[in-house]
Amino acid sequence: MNLVREALDGNRYAVARLISLVEDGDEASRSALTALYEHTGQAHLVGVTGPPGSGKSTLVNALTQTLRRQDVTVGIIAVDPTSPFTGGALLGDRVRMRDLAGDSGVFIRSMATRGSLGGLAQATNDVIKVLDAVGFDVILIETVGAGQSEVEIARTAHTTVVLEAPGMGDEVQALKAGLMEIADILVVNKADRPGAARTARALEMVINRNAPATKDGWAPPILQTVALDGSGVPELWNTVEEHREYLCTSGLLAKRERMRIETELLNILQRRLLERLVSRVGEERLEAWIERIVAREVDVYTATQALCETRSNGSVKG
């Protein structure tokens, strides 16, 4: 299709239209993604997550500026909470990343979570494919920072950067499993604030305590940054590159890519099979089963079994 060719040729307007197309998720978007797929698999996917207020957007902005000074092209996906009124992204990417406006080597897109666990919708994975296919070297995926459910980012990114910040109760948060278990690199942002050293020590204690079970043999380093003035950001990118090199030489990059594809395939299969089942059963029959469950006439497992055995004419086998 013409739109795909134009996007692959570097037409920014075509890239934006193509992303809007794949966000819709209709048949045309699937055809576009099929045409693009052979061009994917080149970008390094970097997830940036952490508690709200830890400075994720500011760090992504500073990290992108560092990469652009090295002539590295960057795609940014800012996964925002879904607006309860419009269903769209609640926060504006360009409001937070004005410094990057007008740079042809940077493409920014806000994505609404759409209620997806961990803040990542299938549409986000499809947008990643578009940005990868059209040639962006690095894709930064900034998540909503909704807490431990952010483990989903680890199934999407090759390198996961987890932010903490002093003065936010992070010494306690650091002792919780969720985000710590997915971190490839730990960053204490806003390191110019009081308590930064204490937060770093708390993170170090957790890493040392879990040393025998470090992630794939990689012990997450702990870095300190001040994203507002760029302090420590070049060192952070150097560490991301070190992690990528480790993934490549150890064979873990292929393993993670396979895990990512497997997760995406199963998610799509689940959604498609559910859509087919609901279509076969019909809305009225589904509502009838819901009413029976509410009335305690049947339990959800019995209803599920019956629905799965529903024939195309709406009757139940046996």
Side-chain angles (χ1 to χ4, degrees):
M1 57 193 310
N2 290 336
L3 191 59
V4 170
R5 281 198 302 272
E6 291 172 7
L8 291 173
D9 288 339
N11 185 315
R12 300 267 301 194
Y13 179 63
V15 173
R17 287 180 57 205
L18 194 54
I19 288 176
S20 295
L21 181 68
V22 302
E23 283 184 294
D24 292 338
D26 56 15
E27 190 62 41
S29 73
R30 289 191 284 273
S31 298
L33 289 168
T34 297
L36 286 171
Y37 194 69
E38 64 178 304
H39 301 282
T40 63
Q42 304 304 312
H44 189 61
L45 312 182
V46 180
V48 179
T49 188
S54 55
K56 296 183 294 295
S57 295
T58 307
L59 184 66
V60 166
N61 182 64
L63 192 56
T64 301
Q65 291 177 328
T66 296
L67 290 171
R68 293 301 296 136
R69 284 193 286 270
Q70 300 176 26
D71 203 29
V72 175
T73 57
V74 184
I76 299 172
I77 301 174
V79 183
D80 289 328
T82 302
S83 166
F85 304 105
T86 66
L90 192 62
L91 304 177
D93 46 38
R94 287 170 183 81
V95 172
R96 297 173 297 172
M97 301 177 185
R98 290 175 180 170
D99 294 343
L100 306 176
D103 187 338
S104 61
V106 178
F107 193 97
I108 307 171
R109 188 71 168 203
S110 282
M111 301 285 298
T113 61
R114 303 180 182 183
S116 176
L117 176 64
L120 290 176
Q122 177 57 40
T124 306
N125 287 308
D126 292 340
V127 172
I128 288 171
K129 293 187 187 76
V130 173
L131 294 176
D132 185 3
V134 301
F136 287 96
D137 302 317
V138 174
I139 299 174
L140 301 177
I141 308 143
E142 179 204 337
T143 67
V144 293
Q148 295 186 18
S149 63
E150 291 298 289
V151 294
E152 186 174 318
I153 188 63
R155 299 190 182 98
T156 300
H158 299 135
T159 300
T160 302
V161 178
V162 174
L163 270 65
E164 295 285 349
M168 299 176 59
D170 298 300
E171 292 80 2
V172 175
Q173 179 69 24
L175 300 177
K176 297 179 181 179
L179 291 178
M180 290 295 297
E181 291 181 354
I182 69 169
D184 295 306
I185 301 170
L186 286 159
V187 174
V188 178
N189 192 33
K190 305 180 182 180
D192 54 340
R193 293 187 177 182
R198 184 171 63 249
T199 300
R201 284 196 300 271
L203 294 173
E204 187 175 1
M205 286 174 57
V206 176
I207 294 298
N208 291 338
R209 188 178 63 191
N210 296 330
T214 51
K215 191 176 180 183
D216 294 325
W218 168 271
I222 301 168
L223 306 178
Q224 296 190 35
T225 61
V226 182
L228 277 174
D229 65 13
S231 299
V233 176
E235 291 78 7
L236 170 58
W237 177 244
N238 290 339
T239 307
V240 171
E241 289 190 308
E242 289 173 10
H243 181 250
R244 178 178 172 82
E245 180 65 23
Y246 175 80
L247 292 177
C248 291
T249 56
S250 66
L252 288 171
L253 187 63
K255 177 183 175 182
R256 289 196 180 187
E257 181 67 5
R258 189 186 189 284
M259 181 180 72
R260 187 178 69 85
I261 291 171
E262 179 182 6
T263 299
E264 184 180 9
L265 177 61
L266 291 175
N267 287 340
I268 294 173
L269 274 173
Q270 288 173 356
R271 190 174 71 249
R272 292 289 178 84
L273 291 172
L274 179 60
E275 289 172 354
R276 288 187 181 184
L277 178 61
V278 171
S279 176
R280 190 172 69 200
V281 170
E283 291 291 339
E284 289 185 9
R285 190 171 182 83
L286 188 63
E287 287 295 327
W289 277 106
I290 292 172
E291 291 300 325
R292 292 187 65 189
I293 296 169
V294 171
R296 299 299 192 271
E297 294 176 9
V298 296
D299 66 280
V300 290
Y301 294 104
T302 301
T304 300
Q305 183 67 26
L307 288 166
C308 287
E309 294 176 354
T310 301
R311 295 190 179 96
S312 57
N313 62 5
S315 62
V316 178
K317 294 179 181 179

